[in-house]
Structures are given as structure tokens and as C-alpha cells.
Amino acid sequence: MTIQWFPGHMAKARREVSEKIKYVDIVFELIDARLPLSSRNPMMDQIVQQKPRLILLNKGDLADREQNQKWQQYFQEKGYHTLIINAQQNKGVNKIVLEAKKALKEKIDRERSKGVKPRAIRAMCIGIPNVGKSTLMNRLVGKKIAQTGNKPGVTKGQQWLRSGTDLELLDTPGILWPKFEDQEIGKKLALTGAIKDQLLHLDDLAIYGLTFFSHFYPERLVERYKLTQEQTFLPGAELLMLISEKRGFRDDYDRASEMIIQEIRSSKLGPYTLDRWEELGVTENEN
């Protein structure tokens, strides 16, 4: 299963981000807590360069809590200010401005010493599709200004949004990168909904998801699909056929695959993290 998705509006957005980065004080990089590395666009490092950055691990409630703490520590050790948030439920959002001020403390102190009157922090929010940027923007602004949707590619333009007196936000569309060198990253993004389902082979994706859960969270499969512990060790394709039969889909593996994918995305199988902190050494060497 080869996965690629780089619509024209993403190429345009990338150019606009490069042009407008000079107007902001700090970058809010929104990533999916379920895949803290795979949901980071490697092109953004070239664009953002030395701008202060606040990494926001969104959808933290959908991710493995222990993994969340490990990844937050990882980013902090890299020198980034980091928060775990849930924009949908407005958890942790009220800490963002304070954390941004911490990240910009030297700049703010320097300007204050020169007698420069304090102004609102100007921030740019970047991230891949369907990571929750528009929802976060609406939470910060306090009303529905940014368009939202539980599908990738909803936001296609850039807009400035005002958040009280302390923050001005430049929203941007979700931007993927032109080519996934590692197709494993493509599968992870697809499983969490960052890529349009119409571009995917859902049976392959369901098998990928089932194989992951059988390895890291087999007890979830036992509970959700009424399997035995031994059955969780079956190859992914056999698991798909077994669950299809148990759910009454018979040989309709497309319907069964769609059901499994949606149940994974909606946390019917519980919180999970696809990028495993314990595999970090392997991941970093491969990238």
C-alpha cells in the first residue's frame, strides 16, 4: 500500500508560510499525540528555522498516557517548550499563552529594557491535516471563526485571528510533504485520519491497525471483538476475516475494514500511541 497526498493548495500554503514566517514571534507546532514523530512535517524545520517553537501534543486523551509523558520529556530535552492538550475538550488550551510567554521571555525582557511597549504575541499555527488546528484556533479565539471538520483539508487559506489582548494567530492549512520516504509513516497518518480515505486500500489499513493492536494492546482486541487471547496472535488478514465473521459481515471485508478503522479512530479500542517511545532509537536512525 503506497500512500501519497499533496494537493495543490498544500504547495501554495507551504510557500505562504515561508513568506509570512518573518511576521511572527513564535510558531505553535500542533502534532497528534498518537504519532508525535510521524505527524511532524520534516519540511517545517527548514521553514521555521530558528523561530521559537511551542510544540502542542493535541488529542492527548486519545493517546497512551505513559507514552504522552515520555514524548513530552523527549521534546523538552530537545529544547522545545511543550504542552499536552485536548483542543476538542478545551483541556490545556488555557496554558498556551503562558507557555508562549515563557518561550519568548528573553525577547520580551529585551524589548522591555529598551522601553518598547508590550504588544500581543504574534504566533503562527502549523501542522498536518486533521491534527486539530482549526478547533484549537476556535478555542483560543473563543468563538467559531476557523472552519473545522473531522477530515483533512478543511482549511485552505490563511487568516489572522485575535485571542484577547495577548495573542494574534496566523492560521494555516494542514501541510503534508510531497513524498513519504517511509511508507510506515504514511500508514500511521492514514490510520489516524490525516489522509483522505478515498486514496486508501481500507482492508490493508485495517490489517495494519489490527496487527499493531495485537502487538501492543491485545487485551483491547479480546474485549472489543470477543476474541480469545490465542486468536490475537493470528496474522492481520486472518484477524480481519475472523472479526468480519463475528460482526456478521461474512465476506464483506470492505465493510468490516471500514468499521475497524472507525473504531480505532474513535477510541472504541481505547487510547493508543502508534509512535512508540521505546522504539525511538530505531526511528531516529531511519529518518
Side-chain angles (χ1 to χ4, degrees), residues 145-159:
I145 295 179
Q147 185 182 5
T148 65
N150 189 25
K151 59 182 179 180
V154 170
T155 304
K156 291 187 172 65
Q158 294 183 331
Q159 54 185 329

Side-chain angles (χ1 to χ4, degrees), residues 1-4 35 38 177 180-192 194-195 200 205 208:
M1 179 172 65
T2 301
I3 300 172
Q4 293 295 8
L35 44 162
S38 298
W177 48 107
F180 298 137
E181 299 294 341
D182 183 354
Q183 280 297 307
E184 186 79 4
I185 291 176
K187 292 175 184 177
K188 291 176 180 180
L189 292 169
L191 189 60
T192 54
I195 298 173
L200 310 171
L205 194 58
Y208 175 78

